[in-house]
């Protein structure tokens, strides 16, 4: 496992990070992985893939929903659940990440987990909205074999903890490629302060799988030596960005914040390619929304739109996204996959 970007002396942005510098700095947020890394047969087929689960809190997500939103920078992607997230402004399941062809299996696994933990779903109450995002890992993973199963999704949820997030070629990021180098899972966080006594945290986790070597604005981060490794020239690729915060925001305000993740993505060199699924999913843990209540009205606290804190949250989203992408590169290791394909780690040092 490589060093995070800041351990290499490279600082992104002006805002301070949280204690762990990852999405789990937002209190209650948990992340879990399952990684598949083994030959499938003697013909060169290889499982180089996995599942990553992001949980807004450790309680029952269906019974205690959180405010959420999503934003599509470029829509060449396959997801589930985002239409309802934006319609109702809530998230009621883990956010699941995997490869393109495993979206159905992972959705089935997440659904089974939620059914097992909520006997009322589909019986005395309505159905549930499962959220899954994907990137195409077919350069390293024999994607047609659909090695990921529903059980892997359930295992990833059970593996979720609030510890420092393991990054790089792990979980859903095992087979991903970023700027022609080894990408995958990356994370970072920022804290913003109001009046010296009110603090909010913004955390970001990415599944990076986009860009060519020529797109990468590497000179911004290190010019110590020229990269000599062979790089992969993939299709346009994708990125799923998950943004968490404890700032009290409405779904509409949250969408304004997560749009700024695109700035962080663009700073690294991406131009949201034609064939790229560049999608952001965001939530705030500031308030848990009960699934059922008899009350006619509800009261919630939210930030004023015109307070300077909003600009700080915008900056935090951009900075955390940029650094999370770079951490996905910095933490990844050179990986061998199907038919002996090799994707090299980027050398920041």
């Amino acid at each position: 496992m490589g060093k995070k970007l800041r351990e290499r002396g490279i600082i992104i942005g002006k805002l301070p990070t949280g204690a762990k510098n990852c999405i789990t700095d937002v209190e209650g947020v948990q992340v879990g992985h399952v990684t598949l890394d083994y030959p499938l047969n003697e013909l060169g087929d290889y499982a180089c893939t996995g599942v990553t689960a992001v949980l807004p809190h450790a309680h029952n997500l269906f019974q205690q929903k959180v405010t959420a939103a999503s934003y599509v920078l470029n829509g060449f992607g396959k997801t589930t659940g985002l239409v309802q997230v934006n319609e109702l402004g809530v998230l009621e399941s883990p956010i699941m990440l995997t490869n393109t062809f495993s979206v159905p299996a992972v959705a089935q696994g997440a659904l089974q987990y939620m059914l097992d933990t909520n006997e009322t779903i589909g019986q005395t109450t309505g159905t549930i909205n499962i959220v899954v995002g994907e990137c195409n890992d077919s350069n390293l993973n024999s994607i047609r074999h659909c090695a990921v199963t529903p059980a892997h999704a359930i295992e990833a949820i059970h593996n979720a903890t609030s510890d420092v997030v393991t990054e790089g070629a792990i979980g859903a990021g095992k087979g991903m490629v970023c700027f022609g180098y080894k990408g995958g899972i990356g994370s970072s966080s920022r804290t913003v302060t109001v009046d010296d006594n009110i603090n909010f945290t913004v955390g970001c986790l990415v599944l990076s799988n986009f860009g060519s070597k020529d797109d990468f604005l590497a000179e911004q981060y290190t010019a110590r030596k020229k990269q000599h490794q062979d790089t992969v020239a993939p299709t346009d690729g994708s990125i799923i960005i998950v943004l968490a915060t404890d700032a009290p925001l409405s779904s509409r305000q949250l969408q304004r914040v997560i749009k700024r993740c695109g700035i962080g993505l663009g700073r690294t060199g991406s131009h949201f390619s034609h064939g790229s699924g560049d999608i952001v999913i965001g939530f705030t843990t500031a308030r848990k929304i009960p699934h059922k209540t008899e009350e006619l009205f509800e009261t919630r606290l939210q930030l004023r739109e015109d307070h300077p804190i909003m600009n700080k949250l915008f900056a935090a989203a951009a900075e955390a996204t940029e650094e999370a992408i770079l951490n996905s590169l910095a933490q990844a290791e050179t990986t061998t996959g199907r038919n002996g394909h090799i994707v090299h780690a980027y050398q920041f040092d």
Side-chain angles (χ1 to χ4, degrees):
M1 190 65 63
K3 297 178 181 178
K4 284 175 80 82
L5 203 68
R6 287 178 182 249
E7 296 177 81
R8 302 170 186 270
I10 303 170
I11 307 300
I12 301 299
K14 300 176 181 179
L15 294 170
T17 70
K20 293 176 280 192
N21 192 18
C22 58
I23 195 171
T24 53
D25 280 319
V26 179
E27 187 174 357
V29 174
Q30 298 183 321
V31 176
H33 303 294
V34 167
T35 304
L36 280 62
D37 182 11
Y38 51 83
L40 292 166
N41 53 40
E42 296 179 354
L43 303 176
D45 292 315
Y46 201 93
C48 187
T49 190
V51 183
T52 295
V54 181
L55 283 62
H57 58 74
H59 307 290
N60 190 307
L61 289 166
F62 182 72
Q63 297 297 334
Q64 300 181 68
K65 310 177 198 300
V66 295
T67 299
S70 71
Y71 185 71
V72 178
L73 296 162
N74 195 71
F76 206 111
K78 295 81 181 167
T79 61
T80 68
L82 299 190
V83 171
Q84 184 170 313
V85 165
N86 282 353
E87 182 70 19
L88 301 183
V90 297
L91 178 70
E92 59 185 10
S93 73
I95 297 171
M96 308 298 295
L97 307 176
T98 190
N99 73 67
T100 307
F101 287 176
S102 294
V103 170
V106 169
Q108 180 62 45
L111 173 60
Q112 191 60 57
Y113 171 84
M114 296 303 293
L115 293 176
D116 290 343
T117 54
N118 292 271
E119 293 182 357
T120 62
I121 295 175
Q123 295 275 17
T124 58
T125 189
T127 58
I128 185 170
N129 186 49
I130 302 296
V131 175
V132 185
E134 57 78 31
C135 292
N136 182 351
D137 61 9
S138 59
N139 183 277
L140 289 169
N141 178 47
S142 296
I143 196 168
R144 287 175 58 92
H145 280 261
C146 298
V148 173
T149 67
H152 292 130
I154 295 171
E155 184 181 355
I157 296 171
H158 284 302
N159 287 345
T161 75
S162 58
D163 296 338
V164 174
V165 175
T166 307
E167 300 168 85
I170 190 80
K174 179 61 184 179
M176 301 302 172
V177 180
C178 186
F179 292 123
Y181 298 98
K182 190 67 194 75
I185 297 295
S187 195
S188 186
S189 68
R190 293 294 186 275
T191 60
V192 298
T193 303
V194 187
D195 300 328
D196 296 326
N197 61 356
I198 300 176
N199 298 291
F200 299 121
T201 302
V202 174
C204 181
L205 181 143
V206 302
L207 177 63
S208 68
N209 189 61
F210 67 94
S212 69
K213 178 182 178 181
D214 292 337
D215 292 333
F216 188 28
L217 301 179
E219 65 276 4
Q220 299 182 116
Y221 312 111
T222 176
R224 294 184 179 93
K225 63 180 181 179
K226 185 177 180 181
Q227 297 287 314
H228 294 290
Q229 305 103 315
D230 293 331
T231 59
V232 176
T235 55
D236 287 345
S238 298
I239 184 170
I240 303 293
I241 303 169
V242 179
L243 195 82
T245 185
D246 55 8
L249 301 169
S250 68
S251 178
R252 181 187 58 78
Q253 289 175 319
L254 184 61
Q255 188 173 73
R256 294 192 71 206
V257 172
I258 66 176
K259 285 180 181 180
R260 272 66 183 185
C261 293
I263 297 171
L265 175 58
R267 285 174 179 168
T268 65
S270 170
H271 51 267
F272 315 158
S273 299
H274 160 72
S276 189
D278 304 324
I279 297 167
V280 192
I281 308 166
F283 61 85
T284 171
T285 62
R287 175 175 176 269
K288 295 182 177 67
I289 304 164
H291 173 68
K292 186 176 182 180
T293 178
E294 301 299 327
E295 298 296 326
L296 177 60
F297 300 103
E298 63 180 15
T299 302
R300 64 180 67 188
L301 187 71
Q302 71 179 55
L303 297 176
R304 275 189 62 91
E305 205 83 24
D306 58 354
H307 193 283
I309 188 62
M310 291 299 290
N311 281 330
K312 290 185 178 181
L313 292 173
F314 292 165
E319 288 185 13
T321 300
E322 181 182 6
E323 187 164 339
I325 292 167
L326 295 169
N327 278 333
S328 76
L329 286 161
Q331 292 276 72
E333 299 174 329
T334 296
T335 302
T336 301
R338 71 178 183 90
N339 297 327
H341 291 182
I342 299 174
V343 180
H344 292 278
Y346 182 81
Q347 301 297 320
F348 282 92
D349 299 319

